[in-house]
Amino acid sequence: MVGGMGGPLEGWRVLDLSQGVTGPYVTKLCSDYGADVIKVERPGIGDVSRRIGPFPGDDPHPEKSGMYLTLNTGKRSVTLDLTTRTGCELLLGLAARADLIVESFRPGTLERFGLSPERLAEANPAAALVRISNFGQTGPNREFAADDLIEYAASGVFMVTGLPDRMPVALGLFTPLFLAGAICAPHALGAMRAAHRDKQPEVLDFSIQEALAGSMDRGGPNLVSYQYTGHLSHERRAASLRSALPNGVYPCADGYIQVSSLVTWYPRVFRVIGRPEWITDERITGSLNDRDAIGAEVEEAFLAWLKPLTKQHAMEEAQAQGWALSALNTPADVMRDPHMRERGFFVTVDHPEAGKVELPGLALRFGATPGELRRPPLLGEHNVEIFGELGYPPPEVAALRTQNVI
């Protein structure tokens, strides 16, 4: 099936030359919302994410990588050796039919293949090219190597995470690279729209470092704050409570909860924890910003209410009174979450090698054009289909395989 089920991007074609996390996340979003995404992978090897876990039973298999499956839903996969002349010619044929081209090679690599932006523009003047790189296509650091933690460090965000008397603490699980992909995706669509509107090529130079440095995840606000005041708006500091009311992480019967409280919420807080008389007690209400005065007393009552409760029960009781308290969910809790289950967030795909796999679904819900989460492709699964669209019959595709072009 080409394109998604009535997705808002149905009818658009994306040529995906990226690998890893950031670029594939951009093109995954395009695919889930209806675009026909053709993923180009190295013959016999594929995307580097095929070698990144988790793997079922900790048994590495290039078709069963949880990272690859998550990042490549709904795409069609072809294999091409871009170091060969025929491989480049086939790539140009695919580019001629694309609306958007996304690549994440180290700067200069595309040019060495003979596939410069100018050459791609000759093949298709109305396509947009998105060039994702660690530090941008220009500048003294353009060829520096990086991974998610290097990018996190170089962008200035790493330094403000953690406690002030310890080394900075990193966010795990490729968080900076997913964030960069989420930032890049709407700009990629903007480039595609501009190229289509103006019938001339548009090239987007996307630096992961700059995206993180300017993001709302502490990077941008800190830079502006430092520029204006010489101080940061977000700094590493010891945990502190904003008032005597409960704030932060607390233990309960089966784990932990996260609670946020405001002084203006004190009536609902006191009703929930079983101390409604405090609502009119000036000794308490007059000291709600003074933790030294009443903090221990309020916290003792809060903990006495919380300790015997499960995190789900505590959340439901507090939320019934409009008090912002949540269960601190484990991944297993999220998978079982009845709210998310009722909304149909998790989608099961049936993969030829990985079997039935349940994946996170679409976070944005369009009404008339909902999109669809479809299974990820096998390596080179669509060679015959896609190269057939370029006029190569199956015997010629088989010959390309024997010549190690695909």
Side-chain angles (χ1 to χ4, degrees):
M1 175 183 174
V2 177
M5 183 183 293
L9 298 180
E10 190 166 12
W12 297 91
R13 177 166 289 183
V14 178
L15 185 58
D16 183 6
L17 308 181
S18 67
Q19 63 172 333
V21 175
T22 300
Y25 187 54
V26 172
T27 53
K28 166 202 163 54
L29 295 175
C30 293
S31 172
D32 289 347
Y33 290 101
D36 175 21
V37 178
I38 298 175
K39 183 174 183 65
V40 178
E41 303 187 66
R42 291 177 62 188
I45 297 176
D47 191 321
V48 65
S49 68
R50 290 182 179 273
R51 300 183 289 283
I52 301 175
F55 295 98
D58 289 332
D59 181 21
H61 189 294
E63 299 292 0
K64 298 180 181 180
S65 158
M67 180 67 76
Y68 179 87
L69 295 177
T70 300
L71 285 167
N72 294 281
T73 48
K75 300 177 186 179
R76 297 195 288 167
S77 170
V78 297
T79 49
L80 272 180
D81 184 349
L82 297 181
T83 66
T84 67
R85 180 176 179 180
T86 302
C88 287
E89 291 174 351
L90 288 168
L91 191 284
L92 289 170
L94 295 174
R97 302 160 61 88
D99 300 292
L100 174 66
I101 304 167
V102 179
E103 65 100 353
S104 63
F105 296 111
R106 185 172 292 191
T109 302
L110 207 61
E111 286 80 356
R112 287 193 292 273
F113 287 152
L115 297 168
S116 66
E118 293 76 18
R119 184 88 184 277
L120 292 170
E122 289 176 5
N124 187 346
L129 172 63
V130 175
R131 312 198 69 180
I132 298 171
S133 61
N134 293 319
F135 301 101
Q137 298 296 317
T138 61
N141 298 346
R142 64 191 292 264
E143 295 189 19
F144 279 16
D147 60 9
D148 55 325
L149 296 185
I150 297 297
E151 293 286 10
Y152 194 33
S155 65
V157 184
F158 201 158
M159 183 53 70
V160 301
T161 306
L163 298 176
D165 57 344
R166 303 284 298 274
M167 290 185 295
V169 178
L171 298 176
L173 299 176
F174 304 99
T175 301
L177 301 184
F178 277 100
L179 174 58
I183 294 170
C184 183
H187 296 85
L189 297 182
M192 181 172 71
R193 179 69 183 89
H196 183 264
R197 179 196 63 207
D198 300 335
K199 297 296 185 292
Q200 64 180 20
E202 177 62 84
V203 180
L204 172 60
D205 177 359
F206 184 84
S207 160
I208 297 176
Q209 180 195 26
E210 291 172 358
L212 297 176
S215 80
M216 292 301 101
D217 179 26
R218 296 156 293 170
N222 265 338
L223 288 178
V224 173
S225 179
Y226 185 78
Q227 177 190 12
Y228 273 77
T229 70
H231 301 284
L232 302 181
S233 60
H234 300 270
E235 296 180 318
R236 287 188 288 153
R237 55 173 63 93
S240 63
L241 298 177
R242 287 172 288 177
S243 73
L245 295 174
N247 283 283
V249 175
Y250 290 85
C252 58
D254 64 344
Y256 299 90
I257 58 92
Q258 165 68 41
V259 60
S260 298
S261 301
L262 300 173
V263 170
T264 54
W265 293 356
Y266 74 83
R268 65 190 77 172
V269 173
F270 295 155
R271 281 194 293 267
V272 171
I273 67 175
R275 301 303 299 265
E277 70 275 12
W278 281 355
I279 296 174
T280 55
D281 187 336
E282 292 186 4
R283 181 182 65 86
I284 297 293
T285 59
S287 304
L288 289 175
N289 281 316
D290 187 351
R291 181 161 183 78
D292 292 334
I294 63 164
E297 187 175 357
V298 173
E299 189 165 83
E300 181 180 359
F302 170 67
L303 290 174
W305 166 79
L306 178 64
K307 187 176 180 180
L309 301 181
T310 66
K311 53 192 176 185
Q312 183 71 22
H313 188 182
M315 177 174 67
E316 290 173 355
E317 281 202 13
Q319 291 288 352
Q321 294 292 327
W323 181 15
L325 184 152
S326 174
L328 207 162
N329 287 329
T330 67
D333 294 329
V334 174
M335 292 292 292
R336 294 189 296 261
D337 189 304
H339 172 78
M340 300 180 80
R341 287 289 169 186
E342 183 175 320
R343 284 175 55 81
F345 175 68
F346 294 101
V347 178
T348 299
V349 298
D350 194 357
H351 191 272
E353 291 287 348
K356 290 187 182 299
V357 180
E358 197 166 39
L359 298 174
L362 280 61
L364 304 177
R365 309 297 179 92
F366 287 82
T369 55
E372 179 187 14
L373 193 81
R374 295 163 290 132
R375 80 160 176 86
L378 299 168
L379 180 60
E381 177 179 352
H382 301 93
N383 280 343
V384 172
E385 176 183 327
I386 291 174
F387 293 132
E389 294 173 4
L390 295 182
Y392 289 80
E396 292 187 24
V397 175
L400 292 172
R401 184 175 295 109
T402 61
Q403 297 163 11
N404 296 320
V405 173
I406 64 174

